[in-house]
Every structure is written in C-alpha cells, then in structure tokens.
Amino acid sequence: MSETNNLSVADKRALLTKLIQKRKEKEAVKRYPLSFAQRRFWLLEKMLDQPGAYNMPVSVRLVGALDVAILQKVLDEIVSRHGIFRTVYLENNNQLEQEIHPTGSFPLTVIDLSPQPQARRRQVAMSTLSQDAWAPFDLGRGPCMRALLIRLGPEEHLLQITLHHICSDGWSLGILTTELTHLYAQLSTGHKNTLEPLTLQYADFAVWQNRERARGNFADDLTYWQQKLAQAPILELPLDKKRPPLQSYQGAKIALCLSAKLTEKLNALARQTQSSLFMVLLAAYQILMARYSGQNDIMVGSPSAGRNRKEVEGLIGCFVNTLILRGNLSENPSFLTFLEQIRQTALAAYTHQNLPFEEIVEAVEAKRDPSRPTLVQTVLALQNTPKGEETITNLVVTPLEPDGITVRFDLECHLWQGATCLEGYLLYNTSLFKQSTMEQMALQFKHLLASLVANPHRSIYSYPFLPPPAALALGPARPYNQDPLATQFRAVVSAHGDAMALEDQDGCLSYGELDLKTDLLAARLQAMGVRPGDLVGVRLERTPALIQS
C-alpha cells in the first residue's frame, strides 16, 4: 500500500494543492537567451577576481518626512513592472539562459543609526554604504538589485540602490530614478500607479538580438567594423606605475570644469562646422591622447545608449554599447580638417552601432590581455542630463558618492552640460596613474580646448601643450648636466633601480634590469672585438631592444 493511501482526506487535499502550486510556479518561470551584453558581463563576473567591479550603485541623501512603507511599495511596483529585476542567470548544457521569476515583494534593508552619537552616525553610514555598494551579487540566485536605507534622524535618511551591470546601464539608472520619484509622489498622496504599462520586456530585446544575428542581419555592420579596426593600435599612455599583470578596477576622479565662456565657444565652433559638441570634444581629446602617447593612430571608446528604437526607450536593462572612434593624426592636419575627419567617423559609427561591442571584439580578433581593457583603453562620454539637487514631494534629494570608485578603462573622461557650462571629471586607474599626473592632464585638456577654439586653422601639433601657469609651475630651469650619459644612467639605477624604465605589449623592464641587459650587450660586443670609439650600426624595430643598444 502506498504511503499516500495512509493520509487523511484533508492531508491529501493539502498535498494536491501544494503540487498544483509548484506546477504553476514552474510554468510561470520563463527562460530566454542572454543578450550579447548580458553574456559578456556574465563571463566577466566569472573570470575576474574583482568582486563588485560591475556594480552600479546610486546613493542619495533624503531630507524630509520619509514614509518607509510607501518607499517599500514603490520598490515592489518597480520590480513588478520590470522583469529584469526578477531575472537570474543560469548555465544549462553549456548554454546561458536568463530565467524570469514571478513577481514578489522586494526586500528593503533598513538600518537605524539614529540612537548612535551624532558625530559617529555619518562615519558609520558612509562605511556601510561603501561596503554595500561593492558587495558581489550571485547572478545565479538573484536578484541583481538591492536597496539599503539608513536612518540618521527623524527627517534624514540615506538611500542606496545597487544594480549589477548585467541588468542595467546609465540610461536605465535615469529611468529607475524617474519612476521611483513619480511613484513615490503618486502613492504618498493616495493615488494609484499611473505609469503607462510596458509593451516589451528586456528579454524580448534579447530574443530579437539573437534572432537578428542568426539571420545575418548584422553582416554590413560586421564588415564595416572589420575594415575600420584593421590593425587596431593599443594606446600606450606614459604610466606612473608598473602595470599589474591583472587589470585593476580601483579608480579616482579629478574634477574638470570648463568655463561658461569656453563652453559657448565650443558650441559655436560645433555650429559653424555642422558638428556636434561631442565631435569637437572628441577631436580635442584624441589630440590630447596623441600628444601624451606620441602615437598618431588613436582609438577612443564612446558609450552609446543603444536604444535606437522607441519601443525600448522606457525599458531597464543593459542596452549600452561602446562605439570605437578612430582618428588618424599622422599628416598633422589643421584642427578643422581633423574635426571633419572625426565628424565623418562618428556619423559612420552611429550608422553601424547595431553590432554590439562584444561582437566587434570577436570579429576583429582583438588580442586579449588580462592586464588591460580589450580593444580600447580610454573613453569619452558626453551626457545630456544635468546633475544636482532634486525634490520628491516633500523630500530634498542630494546625490552622494560612496567610498571606492570603479574604473573599467585606463582613463575615462565624463562631461555633462551644467546650468551654464560643461562639468565633469577624469576617472583614472590608480594602479597606473598618480593624482598629480591627472591634475596636469585636466589642466592641459582645458588649455588645449581654449587654444583650439581661439584658432582652429592651426595644425594640430603646433598648439602649445602646456599653459603658461603650468609651465611656470615646473620650476626654474636647471643647469645642463654635463656628466656622461652612462654616469647619469648609473645614478638613476642606483636611486630608482626597481622603477619602470620601459614598457611595451610584451612586458616591461625596470632600470636595474635595463642596466643588466646593457652590460650583457656591452660584454658581447667586446668579445667580438669592438673597442671604445668604434662605430656600431644598429638596425632594430622600435622596441626595448633598441634602447638597450
């Protein structure tokens, strides 16, 4: 006799109900393929030993009478509205899938610090926000969004919402903020949700993208990028520190503010040349990178919203795409000529932006180096949304920034239109650059922009690279060192033997290692009969071996 036959009628009914419920839940779970961007972030999360490297925290200070219960309802509404927040990422039979679960309540973590001494509250709060911002997500269990509310007093709270990049991008953060603001205002005044229902979910976009690829509809875009990025160069900026063997994501910011007068001149130049403000800034930024690196072939990445269809404008998800904009400065053109080249490059890139960055990397067979970003090492972004103080009903909202900044490239330049001028920052990898170097770069960029708009007809390499104040800051000229070069080099080796002297794509050499290699070469030449004063011809490529000779 089976075990179920011993159950009472009530127990059998309860068991049947439970089985039906499980079946409904299983049927309610839907599986879809991953988009190209999701697949990339899933792989990066598995490969990199950098917890939280692809987290996207948004932190604000709320001053006023906050209704925590209403905030909880708002978060529940948003999670119900966007399936991406109910999605987990699984690997089944070597296939990646996203699984969307039924809606449910979203956990809001609340920490009350108001009983603590006032002098200590802010310190503990900021430390807590920082830890939460960079805590890793479990993509296989989800959710890939969390919310933390810290109470500092009756009318002061800190709210942080953290998302993983696999389910969000910069545009999505704007949607999230807008919907949160709107819903809080509606629900706190007794009204219902008046947001228009979504006709699509992000998973629908992922299905479309995979289908388009299978049909070969990205073929023209693929051909364009393969031709455009043939023999793609690696940007080699001079580094303050030896590049780590594994890419680091620790970053810091240097503020960058362009005056209202300079901003107006940049906009005027853009209008005169039928360019956009971004194109003018990009041309100038590429010149800056060329002057720093000594290279004439410069590639700069630029984030594109990737939402060129109206149906996806209101969706939260990872649509962002990185466009690669390549500039050729080898003929030392005038700035106006170079700007026209960049204008045409940007327009062509926009035309072929449907092919995701991940596919471009594969198509051009870009060399992958665990110590640096793939294909592009620096990006320039111009955002249209001004930053500043906002109001939600009776709450004053002020943006915050938790400790610890993530940088995904060697160097990033972010700008946005303020009330009257361009504001922004240089975001740099602290494992590669010193703060003083970035401060100098920010100063040089502003000076270069001012020089370009003052006389855009000059050749690009004729513009002064240092503004007069910075040149004076270098200090008085020192007397020429008349010691033999070998003596000067020995002094450097003695003082800085472990410092990096040379670096290329194959590795780097310290001053001590370079000294040893030159000694070995000298001994070999002596063994071949070379004596002091003899001329020795050298025919080598531009590699560290040339310097060693």
Side-chain angles (χ1 to χ4, degrees), residues 225 229 299-302 322-326 349 357 360 375-376:
W225 289 111
L229 302 181
M299 296 204 316
V300 174
S302 175
T322 301
L323 299 182
I324 306 167
L325 304 167
R326 190 172 184 177
F357 177 78
I360 295 174
L375 207 55
V376 287

Side-chain angles (χ1 to χ4, degrees), residues 303-334:
S304 167
R307 298 170 187 256
N308 49 2
R309 288 173 173 77
K310 188 173 180 61
E311 297 88 345
V312 301
E313 288 182 357
L315 292 183
I316 291 177
C318 189
F319 292 90
V320 67
N321 195 16
T322 301
L323 299 182
I324 306 167
L325 304 167
R326 190 172 184 177
N328 185 350
L329 304 88
S330 59
E331 296 182 1
N332 193 22
S334 70

Side-chain angles (χ1 to χ4, degrees), residues 233-239 243 284-300 327 329 372 377-378 410-411 433 437-438 441 444 461 465 503 542:
I234 295 175
L235 180 63
E236 298 285 2
L237 295 173
L239 306 180
R243 185 182 291 275
Y285 189 70
Q286 289 198 328
I287 294 172
L288 182 72
M289 294 297 98
R291 297 292 291 268
Y292 260 85
S293 66
Q295 298 170 242
N296 292 322
D297 191 356
I298 303 295
M299 296 204 316
V300 174
L329 304 88
R372 68 177 76 224
Q377 288 73 51
T378 186
D410 290 356
L411 176 66
F433 303 105
T437 300
M438 292 297 104
M441 182 180 285
Q444 288 170 333
Y461 285 115
F465 196 42
E503 183 187 30
R542 289 173 59 87

Side-chain angles (χ1 to χ4, degrees), residues 408-425:
R408 300 180 181 100
F409 297 86
D410 290 356
L411 176 66
E412 303 177 17
C413 181
H414 295 263
L415 293 167
W416 59 86
Q417 184 67 57
T420 59
C421 60
L422 284 171
E423 303 172 6
Y425 52 82

Side-chain angles (χ1 to χ4, degrees), residues 12-177:
K12 288 180 179 180
R13 186 179 293 113
L15 179 60
L16 179 61
T17 302
K18 187 175 182 180
L19 290 173
I20 293 174
Q21 180 63 28
K22 283 187 176 181
R23 183 174 181 179
K24 286 183 177 180
E25 290 177 358
K26 186 176 181 180
E27 291 174 349
V29 173
K30 298 181 180 180
R31 292 185 175 180
Y32 301 88
L34 270 64
S35 71
F36 300 153
Q38 285 178 316
R39 192 176 296 118
R40 176 169 177 255
F41 285 121
W42 188 91
L43 291 171
L44 286 171
E45 189 72 22
K46 296 296 181 182
M47 292 166 52
L48 298 178
D49 186 22
Q50 298 280 345
Y54 287 94
N55 287 8
M56 303 181 70
V58 179
S59 312
V60 293
R61 176 174 178 254
L62 305 172
V63 176
L66 175 68
D67 190 324
V68 179
I70 294 295
L71 178 59
Q72 177 68 71
K73 290 181 180 179
V74 168
L75 292 170
D76 289 344
E77 287 275 1
I78 290 175
V79 170
S80 176
R81 178 177 171 81
H82 296 278
I84 194 72
F85 293 139
R86 294 177 273 112
T87 300
V88 297
Y89 304 88
L90 305 172
E91 185 176 13
N92 292 317
N93 298 322
N94 295 323
Q95 293 294 322
L96 294 177
E97 296 178 324
Q98 53 180 314
E99 188 175 87
I100 304 178
H101 287 218
T103 187
S105 178
F106 181 78
L108 170 64
T109 302
V110 181
I111 299 176
D112 188 0
L113 296 180
S114 59
Q116 296 198 20
Q118 186 171 3
R120 179 169 166 73
R121 288 178 205 165
R122 179 54 64 99
Q123 178 184 355
V124 174
M126 295 306 293
S127 175
T128 303
L129 288 180
S130 182
Q131 292 176 20
D132 178 76
W134 310 119
F137 286 98
D138 185 341
L139 302 185
R141 296 185 61 184
C144 293
M145 178 179 82
R146 57 175 173 260
L148 170 65
L149 182 69
I150 298 178
R151 186 174 188 265
L152 299 179
E155 295 196 347
E156 183 181 10
H157 294 78
L158 305 182
L159 173 65
Q160 180 166 276
I161 298 177
T162 305
L163 304 93
H164 193 283
H165 212 329
I166 200 170
C167 70
S168 183
D169 55 19
W171 185 296
S172 297
L173 295 181
I175 296 174
L176 177 63
T177 302

Side-chain angles (χ1 to χ4, degrees), residues 181-242:
T181 302
H182 174 84
L183 287 171
Y184 188 89
Q186 290 289 310
L187 299 183
S188 63
T189 53
H191 295 85
K192 294 183 179 180
N193 177 6
T194 58
L195 291 174
E196 289 289 330
L198 296 173
T199 58
L200 292 174
Q201 290 290 327
Y202 182 81
D204 298 314
F205 166 76
V207 170
W208 170 85
Q209 192 180 57
N210 281 272
R211 186 175 63 238
E212 290 295 291
R213 180 190 185 186
R215 291 175 176 175
N217 290 340
F218 294 144
D220 290 343
D221 299 327
L222 181 64
T223 300
Y224 168 80
W225 289 111
Q226 285 176 325
Q227 295 174 350
K228 187 67 177 178
L229 302 181
Q231 298 179 327
I234 295 175
L235 180 63
E236 298 285 2
L237 295 173
L239 306 180
D240 296 318
K241 307 172 186 179
K242 181 178 179 179

